[in-house]
Amino acid sequence: MPAETLLMVSGQPMAGPLLITPQVFGDDRGFFYESWNERRFRQDLIAAGVPAAEAEGLQFRQDNHSRSSRGVLRGLHFQLPPEPQGKLVRCSEGSIFDVAVDLRCTSPSYGQWVGATLSSENHQQLWVPVGFAHGFLTLSDVAEVQYKASGFWNRDCERSLRWDDPSMAIDWPLPQAGVSEPLLAAKDAEAPDLAALVAAGEVFP
């Protein structure tokens, strides 16, 4: 199934993030699908307008796995050069609301966000390219999330963006998660807003 370009709240497409729906083969015994296929992923990127040389040159450096309880919000996280990260995210148990925020200051969709529900039932994946902040809210009692990262984790490059910055107005489905306020790590609760990141020069060209 071809990857889809997600729409912003304004109804316009955002260049970069892709929602990928794999072909799942299932019967009364269970199911099987390819959670990662390098050739198909590169084809999806090229079909979405990524230059062929850039798509062919993309490599994943590490795989990450997290487990979160209901109402946990992780993010919004990103890494600056020299170790930026693109992330291919999926949820293998439970469900999450996954978000990407455009931090490319010359992009038409700068400061805008897109989101998608990823779950163990729909098997969908979200590609979050370099230049975007990423985060997710856990909607189920437990969610296990795996993602492939195109750069190694680097403490010096890691940054956080405030999850509830009013300038972005992300529509987090807190009622669906059954909470009025999300459960946050200390660094996420204290994260700067977008204006502070811009003032510090901590966004992308």
Side-chain angles (χ1 to χ4, degrees):
M1 202 170 189
E4 303 173 51
T5 301
L6 283 81
L7 300 178
M8 299 181 294
V9 175
S10 61
Q12 300 299 313
M14 179 183 287
L18 292 174
L19 185 62
I20 298 171
T21 305
Q23 186 176 10
V24 180
F25 302 92
D27 56 28
D28 55 5
R29 300 169 301 154
F31 67 83
F32 169 86
Y33 74 98
E34 293 180 350
S35 62
W36 163 244
N37 182 303
E38 181 181 32
R39 179 170 53 197
R40 183 170 294 115
F41 179 66
R42 298 194 194 288
Q43 290 172 346
D44 286 339
L45 292 181
I46 293 169
V50 175
E54 181 180 335
E56 293 295 335
L58 177 65
Q59 294 183 325
F60 289 111
R61 302 299 185 185
Q62 66 180 60
D63 283 4
N64 299 329
H65 187 154
S66 72
R67 181 180 174 90
S68 304
S69 56
R70 180 181 292 275
V72 167
L73 194 156
R74 298 186 184 272
L76 299 154
H77 302 150
F78 62 101
Q79 285 192 185
L80 294 169
E83 197 80 69
Q85 288 184 328
K87 299 174 182 178
L88 182 62
V89 187
R90 68 188 181 100
C91 181
S92 60
E93 179 181 349
S95 62
I96 62 171
F97 184 68
D98 208 39
V99 169
V101 178
D102 192 348
L103 298 183
R104 304 168 297 177
C105 61
T106 56
S107 166
S109 56
Y110 169 69
Q112 300 292 305
W113 64 276
V114 290
T117 297
L118 309 182
S119 73
S120 55
E121 293 186 358
N122 65 28
H123 307 291
Q124 291 180 324
Q125 302 179 32
L126 183 64
W127 165 238
V128 182
V130 167
F132 287 76
H134 167 258
F136 66 84
L137 173 67
T138 306
L139 303 177
S140 50
D141 288 340
V142 171
E144 296 214 9
V145 176
Q146 292 90 33
Y147 59 94
K148 308 179 81 65
S150 64
F152 294 110
W153 177 75
N154 186 321
R155 184 186 301 274
D156 294 334
C157 299
E158 185 181 42
R159 299 291 187 276
S160 294
L161 169 62
R162 188 170 180 83
W163 70 278
D164 61 349
D165 181 345
S167 73
M168 299 182 302
I170 298 173
D171 188 17
W172 296 101
L174 295 175
Q176 188 177 345
V179 295
S180 57
E181 292 290 333
L183 303 174
L184 301 167
K187 72 171 184 178
D188 295 336
E190 299 166 359
D193 61 16
L194 182 56
L197 290 174
V198 172
E202 295 183 337
V203 292
F204 295 83

